[in-house]
Amino acid sequence: MEKLKPKLFSVMKTYSAAQFGKDVVAGIIVAIIALPLSIALALASGVGPEQGIYTAIVAGFLISFFGGSRVQIAGPTAAFATIVAGIVAQKGMDGLILATVLAGIILIVMGFLRLGSLIKFIPFTITTGFTAGIAVTIAIGQVKDFLGLTYPAGTVTIETMEKLKAVIENIGTINVQALLVGAVCLAIQIVWPYINKKIPGSLIAVIVGILMVQLLHMNVNTIGDLYEISNKLPSLHIPAFSLQDIGDILPDAFTIAILAAIESLLSCVVADSMINSKHRSNMELIAQGIGNVGSALFGGIPATGAIARTAANIKNGGRTPIAGMVHSVTLVLILVILMPYAALIPMPCIAAILFMVAYNMCGWRTFVNLCKSAPKSDILVLVLTFVLTVVFDLVVAIEVGLVLAAMLFMKRMSDVTEVEGWTYVDDEDDPDSISLRVVPEHTLVYEVSGPMFFGAADKILKITLNEDTKCLVIRMRSVNAIDATAMHSLEQLHDMCVKRGIQIVLSHVNTQPKLVMDKAGFTKKIGEENFCAHIDDALARANETMN
């Protein structure tokens, strides 16, 4: 059973001075990356710029300290922006604090109940759909500041469709100078990674944007024109609330909790693949809960693991939670010393940063590939989740998406005559048993029995490859159906094998899985010659690959 023990306590047993130096450098670099992002995401969430920094400081430190990942970096993320903005607009900051604290408690309970593994039951099509939908809502929300539009007093722009309508109605008020600043800042972020990958393009965009507005005396709104800037350290604030307030805010709390769980565990999985490690999912949920409670009580907004910042931490040498803690401490120093200068940042620059955030999170290539290659039922779930996220909100999108996915799953299962677990077959009563055959050296044989669907897709990644493995034979005689999530896992396994020089050979692939593989381009990846009709043919093919 997975330990409920923070990774920090495990890694400190073998911690060295050399690793401390790498963690400090990584933490400082990640803090520099997090600074403009935290400010931009706070403004997109309808709160003050310093509250984004508070979130990265408090939640970032607590989640690194208590977390189940060696390298997770936490803070405000784009996924929460539209949810938080809606809560703040309708229920104020005290409503947001209450919702975030309750979400934190829900996450802690989920962790102690060891529900971390249940996140796998959220289909890949749903996470892809709502992530792309959130990206679109963020982009729509930034058009006003990017173009410098002016809205009449009383214009309501809480929901995404209201924002889009307001943009269309007031497009004639465009400020050319604001557009120029925004375009330059956007171009810098696109081009800068080709020049220097160490310094974030968003930071360069902020500096250039400030210089343009101040030196050229441009008529462009800055953060200081719209918000009060504070460089005070976060302080404890406990809002007054009643049982009725808790009941009213509970649906929002569940939304925040579920989204935080999905985002953080996805980030952990990505990080694991980059450093060849294994996170503790239940401990990570507990840490996310603690971090969100702390963030809310000290003036922050909801937080979760940030994939981009976590990846930056890894690429710069961070390998322990110390890097995440250094990132938070660095942001404290930046808050106290540099925060007053944030008032000079132009709003079109913030919009440009958020455009890049939206682009990077949208996953349009994955979205398009799924539309081309996935079964029609999965495409329906994907597109519907995306549309509902944009037109309504994330809660409706996830609820409808899950219900539809469950219904389609049940229909898919009803068409399957036999459902078994995934087993490594070694049965002497079976005339096709591996025990009755000679398996070539450096070859592993696994058999998948039963449908490959989103609830069991991760099991394909649990295949253990030995150091000397040269060929992996997967028997699929009992697999009657495969969906997009399982196909995604199979592609991940293939990528893993390619990196290690291992050839995959498939035995007895049935009609529906073969059609999905053909459509997804998987057949072309591993070669038609590696699809064998019988296990004897597959073993012969494996023997050929050894020569």
Side-chain angles (χ1 to χ4, degrees), residues 169-477:
E169 291 178 347
N170 297 281
I171 195 68
T173 64
I174 187 172
N175 180 339
V176 176
Q177 293 184 354
L179 175 58
L180 178 62
V181 172
V184 169
C185 292
L186 186 59
I188 287 171
Q189 292 178 89
I190 295 171
V191 174
W192 185 257
Y194 297 101
I195 300 172
N196 188 310
K197 293 185 178 181
K198 290 290 184 181
I199 303 173
S202 56
L203 183 62
I204 303 301
V206 165
I207 294 171
V208 172
I210 291 174
L211 292 176
M212 286 181 68
V213 172
Q214 297 302 314
L215 297 181
L216 301 177
H217 305 289
M218 303 177 81
N219 181 28
V220 175
N221 280 333
T222 64
I223 292 178
D225 294 331
L226 305 178
Y227 301 92
E228 290 185 10
I229 302 293
S230 172
N231 63 345
K232 294 180 180 178
L233 292 174
S235 57
L236 180 66
H237 172 65
I238 301 175
F241 61 89
S242 64
L243 288 177
Q244 183 178 348
D245 293 331
I246 293 176
D248 292 341
I249 207 72
L250 203 54
D252 294 315
F254 270 105
T255 302
I256 293 171
I258 296 300
L259 189 55
I262 294 171
E263 286 279 305
S264 62
L265 295 183
L266 282 176
S267 178
C268 285
V269 169
V270 172
D272 285 349
S273 67
M274 294 178 71
I275 62 171
N276 194 26
S277 181
K278 178 68 176 174
H279 72 280
R280 296 167 183 163
S281 58
N282 296 312
M283 192 64 235
E284 184 64 25
L285 290 181
I286 293 171
Q288 293 290 332
I290 294 171
N292 274 281
V293 170
S295 175
L297 295 180
F298 282 90
I301 58 179
T304 187
I307 294 176
R309 276 160 272 176
T310 298
N313 178 37
I314 294 169
K315 290 176 182 177
N316 287 283
R319 288 296 182 274
T320 78
I322 297 295
M325 295 158 69
V326 169
H327 138 266
S328 297
V329 172
T330 304
L331 284 173
V332 171
L333 299 176
I334 293 174
L335 172 68
V336 173
I337 299 170
L338 300 178
M339 196 61 187
Y341 296 102
L344 302 176
I345 301 176
M347 293 305 295
C349 179
I350 294 295
I353 291 172
L354 288 169
F355 278 155
M356 288 301 297
V357 169
Y359 176 79
N360 290 330
M361 76 176 291
C362 72
W364 67 269
R365 290 182 180 86
T366 302
F367 192 101
V368 171
N369 184 57
L370 283 172
C371 288
K372 290 180 179 179
S373 63
K376 291 180 181 179
S377 57
D378 287 327
I379 296 174
L380 176 62
V381 174
L382 171 73
V383 174
L384 188 60
T385 304
F386 169 77
V387 171
L388 290 176
T389 301
V390 176
V391 176
F392 295 100
D393 58 45
L394 189 61
V395 180
V396 174
I398 293 179
E399 287 175 348
V400 174
L402 281 174
V403 170
L404 182 59
M407 292 173 63
L408 292 171
F409 165 68
M410 289 185 285
K411 172 64 171 64
R412 202 175 279 149
M413 292 304 97
S414 68
D415 296 333
V416 177
T417 57
E418 184 179 10
V419 178
E420 298 176 357
W422 294 38
T423 57
Y424 186 96
V425 174
D426 192 12
D427 182 3
E428 293 186 0
D429 294 330
D430 178 5
D432 286 334
S433 172
I434 291 300
S435 63
L436 302 179
R437 283 161 175 77
V438 176
V439 178
E441 277 189 274
H442 311 302
T443 299
L444 287 178
V445 181
Y446 276 82
E447 176 161 281
V448 180
S449 299
M452 294 172 65
F453 67 103
F454 61 81
D458 68 315
K459 294 184 180 179
I460 196 74
L461 298 177
K462 293 182 180 178
I463 289 177
T464 303
L465 302 172
N466 299 329
E467 289 294 328
D468 62 346
T469 301
K470 297 298 180 185
C471 184
L472 172 65
V473 176
I474 303 177
R475 306 179 72 187
M476 299 182 65
R477 57 181 177 172

